[in-house]
Amino acid sequence: MKNLRYHFLSLLVTLLVAGSFLSSAKLSGVINPFSLTLLRFAIAALVLLPFVLLKNKNRKAISKALPRSLVMSLFFSIFFICMFEALKTTTALNIGTLYTLVPFMTAVFSLFVFKEKITKNMFFIYLLGIAGTCLVIFRGDLNALFAFSLNSGDALFLLGCVSMVCFSISMKLLYRGDKMIVVVFCTLLGGAFWMLLALFVFEQPLQWHLLNKNLLSHMAYLALFATLASTFIIQKTTVILGPARVMAYIYLSPVFVALLTMLIEEKTLPNATYAGMFLSIAATIILQLHNREVKSSPKPISIIALKSKKTL
């Protein structure tokens, strides 16, 4: 498989994002979420800034990449805003369950944008992945599963999931062969801008002075690994593999969270959780194999060829 390394990178970014859930839990309630995300974007952008400015080509490319990156970062920022606002009226358990709809939603959007078809087998695989994730999240407790119900916060987070899908689609659609380091920098810069705007609109304070040394280490992880490294990897893998294949790895996110919780916090997991992890892994592998077959089959019109003729 010639794109094997990009699949490993997709696994890595899923692991990094899973770790961010643990760090975010430590920071939750200490600093308001808009300011927290602004700081994440700002630190990551500042770290990347010297490498971008080092070459004249990169500096010149910023003006071309920034408008498109503002669009991509808008979708990314809307996702965070919806998530933070949704948590006021819903639970992290509900959000974790709803987030597993993103791969299926990405496939639906890709159907219209990239003409990637959804077969009956693929639909079944998506359901299998959702079922596996539910077993992990609900720890095999059927009463907790049946008690799951939608509220206004859930509906708002569903909008955020749509925005995350649009972020993934836009990365593929708006890419014009720019240097990836420039695209990532502009995306981070755009994210910081939108979060600064959100702080102003919602009249939230920065509260950065509330972060102590221990919390700063968690913030460093969020900024450098869960934001900078993850954004770079997601941008690169989405361009190469496509949104549907990259988003399919979301099913592994609860698996990594469960494993990290077991290793770091030394907690035991119910047997039903392992069954759910197996289903999630199986669904991810099958989806990747199926999407590879679809991608390798001949198409009458190349979407990449059509995109290369477009200009901003």
Side-chain angles (χ1 to χ4, degrees):
M1 185 187 297
K2 63 179 181 178
N3 291 326
L4 184 60
R5 64 170 177 167
Y6 295 106
H7 288 279
F8 279 122
L9 287 174
S10 296
L11 283 171
L12 175 60
V13 75
T14 305
L15 177 61
L16 292 177
V17 171
S20 74
F21 295 153
L22 301 180
S23 290
S24 295
K26 299 292 183 181
L27 292 163
S28 179
V30 178
I31 181 173
N32 79 75
F34 299 107
S35 181
L36 173 63
T37 309
L38 170 61
L39 187 56
R40 288 175 63 173
F41 281 132
I43 293 176
L46 286 174
V47 170
L48 200 58
L49 180 61
F51 301 97
V52 175
L53 298 181
L54 193 61
K55 293 184 178 180
N56 185 47
K57 290 183 178 180
N58 292 341
R59 295 195 298 269
K60 292 182 177 179
I62 291 177
S63 60
K64 294 182 179 180
L66 188 57
R68 283 176 274 118
S69 297
L70 280 173
V71 175
M72 292 186 286
S73 62
L74 175 60
F75 291 128
F76 202 29
S77 300
I78 289 175
F79 168 76
F80 282 112
I81 292 173
C82 288
M83 180 181 68
F84 296 145
E85 286 299 305
L87 283 171
K88 293 180 180 179
T89 54
T90 191
T91 65
L93 187 63
N94 283 30
I95 283 181
T97 305
L98 291 172
Y99 192 55
T100 60
L101 293 174
V102 170
F104 176 69
M105 293 167 65
T106 303
V108 172
F109 275 60
S110 296
L111 172 65
F112 294 101
V113 179
F114 303 116
K115 309 302 180 184
E116 297 179 0
K117 296 182 179 180
I118 304 176
T119 64
K120 291 182 180 180
N121 290 337
M122 283 185 65
F123 183 76
F124 172 76
I125 297 168
Y126 283 121
L127 292 181
L128 181 66
I130 293 173
T133 303
C134 286
L135 279 175
V136 175
I137 293 175
F138 293 104
R139 297 175 178 268
D141 187 349
L142 293 179
N143 292 327
L145 176 61
F146 293 140
F148 178 78
S149 60
L150 292 176
N151 54 43
S152 60
D154 296 325
L156 183 60
F157 185 70
L158 279 175
L159 176 62
C161 288
V162 172
S163 186
M164 174 58 74
V165 173
C166 291
F167 171 62
S168 178
I169 295 293
S170 66
M171 283 190 294
K172 177 80 172 181
L173 198 60
L174 297 178
Y175 182 68
R176 297 292 184 271
D178 306 292
K179 282 288 189 68
M180 196 55 62
I181 190 173
V182 176
V183 176
V184 172
F185 173 73
C186 291
T187 301
L188 294 172
L189 197 63
F193 168 76
W194 293 120
M195 281 302 171
L196 187 61
L197 183 62
L199 278 173
F200 175 77
V201 172
F202 291 99
E203 299 180 349
Q204 296 289 324
L206 285 178
Q207 299 179 315
W208 292 349
H209 64 282
L210 298 177
L211 298 176
N212 55 37
K213 291 182 179 180
N214 182 48
L215 294 177
L216 283 174
S217 64
H218 288 286
M219 174 56 68
Y221 174 82
L222 291 178
L224 300 180
F225 294 96
T227 302
L228 178 57
S230 295
T231 303
F232 192 94
I233 294 173
I234 289 174
Q235 294 272 13
K236 186 66 175 180
T237 54
T238 300
V239 170
I240 300 298
L241 300 178
R245 303 185 79 181
V246 174
M247 289 296 104
Y249 283 103
I250 283 178
Y251 289 130
L252 296 181
S253 183
V255 174
F256 284 132
V257 171
L259 290 175
L260 288 173
T261 301
M262 182 176 62
L263 293 173
I264 297 176
E265 300 182 4
E266 298 182 352
K267 292 183 179 180
T268 57
L269 301 175
N271 292 331
T273 300
Y274 292 105
M277 291 166 64
F278 174 79
L279 289 178
S280 297
I281 293 172
T284 302
I285 294 174
I286 297 172
L287 271 176
Q288 294 300 334
L289 293 175
H290 185 278
N291 285 331
R292 183 182 66 174
E293 293 177 359
V294 173
K295 192 178 182 66
S296 61
S297 62
K299 297 180 181 180
I301 299 177
S302 173
I303 188 68
I304 302 298
L306 290 176
K307 282 167 51 187
S308 63
K309 296 180 182 179
K310 297 180 182 178
T311 56
L312 180 64

